[in-house]
Short mmCIF file of all heavy atoms in Angstrom, two decimals:
data_model
loop_
_atom_site.label_atom_id
_atom_site.label_comp_id
_atom_site.label_asym_id
_atom_site.label_seq_id
_atom_site.Cartn_x
_atom_site.Cartn_y
_atom_site.Cartn_z
N TYR A 211 17.80 18.61 -6.34
CA TYR A 211 18.71 17.78 -5.56
C TYR A 211 20.15 18.20 -5.84
O TYR A 211 20.44 18.92 -6.81
CB TYR A 211 18.51 16.30 -5.90
CG TYR A 211 18.83 15.94 -7.34
CD1 TYR A 211 20.13 15.59 -7.73
CD2 TYR A 211 17.83 15.96 -8.31
CE1 TYR A 211 20.42 15.27 -9.04
CE2 TYR A 211 18.12 15.64 -9.64
CZ TYR A 211 19.42 15.30 -9.99
OH TYR A 211 19.72 14.99 -11.29
N LYS A 219 17.37 18.52 -11.19
CA LYS A 219 15.95 18.55 -10.84
C LYS A 219 15.27 17.34 -11.47
O LYS A 219 15.76 16.78 -12.46
CB LYS A 219 15.30 19.85 -11.30
CG LYS A 219 15.52 20.19 -12.77
CD LYS A 219 15.00 21.58 -13.09
CE LYS A 219 15.31 21.95 -14.55
NZ LYS A 219 14.83 23.32 -14.87
N VAL A 220 14.15 16.95 -10.90
CA VAL A 220 13.48 15.72 -11.33
C VAL A 220 11.98 15.85 -11.06
O VAL A 220 11.56 16.56 -10.14
CB VAL A 220 14.07 14.50 -10.60
CG1 VAL A 220 13.86 14.60 -9.10
CG2 VAL A 220 13.48 13.19 -11.13
N PHE A 221 11.17 15.17 -11.86
CA PHE A 221 9.74 15.03 -11.58
C PHE A 221 9.30 13.66 -12.09
O PHE A 221 10.03 12.98 -12.82
CB PHE A 221 8.94 16.14 -12.24
CG PHE A 221 8.56 15.87 -13.68
CD1 PHE A 221 7.26 15.51 -14.02
CD2 PHE A 221 9.50 15.96 -14.70
CE1 PHE A 221 6.92 15.25 -15.34
CE2 PHE A 221 9.17 15.70 -16.02
CZ PHE A 221 7.87 15.35 -16.35
N THR A 235 9.63 9.05 -15.27
CA THR A 235 10.47 10.02 -14.58
C THR A 235 11.28 10.82 -15.58
O THR A 235 11.77 10.27 -16.58
CB THR A 235 11.42 9.31 -13.61
OG1 THR A 235 10.64 8.54 -12.67
CG2 THR A 235 12.27 10.31 -12.83
N GLY A 236 11.43 12.12 -15.31
CA GLY A 236 12.25 12.98 -16.15
C GLY A 236 13.22 13.79 -15.32
O GLY A 236 12.85 14.31 -14.26
N PHE A 237 14.47 13.89 -15.79
CA PHE A 237 15.50 14.65 -15.11
C PHE A 237 15.90 15.86 -15.95
O PHE A 237 15.94 15.80 -17.19
CB PHE A 237 16.74 13.79 -14.86
CG PHE A 237 16.57 12.75 -13.79
CD1 PHE A 237 16.05 11.50 -14.10
CD2 PHE A 237 16.93 13.02 -12.47
CE1 PHE A 237 15.90 10.54 -13.10
CE2 PHE A 237 16.78 12.07 -11.49
CZ PHE A 237 16.27 10.82 -11.80
N ASN A 238 16.24 16.95 -15.28
CA ASN A 238 16.88 18.12 -15.87
C ASN A 238 16.20 18.60 -17.14
O ASN A 238 15.12 19.18 -17.08
CB ASN A 238 18.37 17.82 -16.08
CG ASN A 238 19.06 17.48 -14.77
OD1 ASN A 238 18.75 18.07 -13.73
ND2 ASN A 238 19.98 16.53 -14.78
N ASP A 239 16.81 18.37 -18.35
CA ASP A 239 16.20 18.86 -19.59
C ASP A 239 14.80 18.30 -19.80
O ASP A 239 13.92 18.97 -20.36
CB ASP A 239 17.08 18.50 -20.80
CG ASP A 239 18.38 19.28 -20.83
OD1 ASP A 239 18.46 20.30 -20.11
OD2 ASP A 239 19.31 18.87 -21.55
N ALA A 240 14.59 17.06 -19.37
CA ALA A 240 13.26 16.46 -19.52
C ALA A 240 12.23 17.22 -18.68
O ALA A 240 11.05 17.28 -19.04
CB ALA A 240 13.30 14.99 -19.11
N VAL A 241 12.67 17.80 -17.57
CA VAL A 241 11.75 18.61 -16.76
C VAL A 241 11.31 19.82 -17.56
O VAL A 241 10.11 20.15 -17.61
CB VAL A 241 12.43 19.03 -15.43
CG1 VAL A 241 11.50 19.94 -14.63
CG2 VAL A 241 12.82 17.81 -14.61
N ASP A 242 12.27 20.49 -18.19
CA ASP A 242 11.92 21.67 -18.99
C ASP A 242 11.04 21.30 -20.17
O ASP A 242 10.12 22.04 -20.54
CB ASP A 242 13.21 22.33 -19.51
CG ASP A 242 14.11 22.82 -18.38
OD1 ASP A 242 13.57 23.19 -17.32
OD2 ASP A 242 15.35 22.81 -18.56
N MET A 278 11.71 6.12 -18.48
CA MET A 278 12.62 7.25 -18.36
C MET A 278 12.41 8.16 -19.56
O MET A 278 12.60 7.75 -20.71
CB MET A 278 14.08 6.78 -18.30
CG MET A 278 15.06 7.91 -18.07
SD MET A 278 14.84 8.66 -16.44
CE MET A 278 15.33 7.29 -15.38
N LEU A 279 11.98 9.40 -19.32
CA LEU A 279 11.77 10.37 -20.39
C LEU A 279 13.12 10.90 -20.85
O LEU A 279 13.94 11.33 -20.04
CB LEU A 279 10.88 11.51 -19.90
CG LEU A 279 9.50 11.09 -19.35
CD1 LEU A 279 8.75 12.30 -18.83
CD2 LEU A 279 8.69 10.36 -20.40
#
Side-chain angles (χ1 to χ4, degrees):
Y211 64 88
K219 53 188 176 181
V220 62
F221 85 105
T235 302
F237 288 87
N238 300 323
D239 290 344
V241 177
D242 299 329
M278 184 66 66
L279 303 177

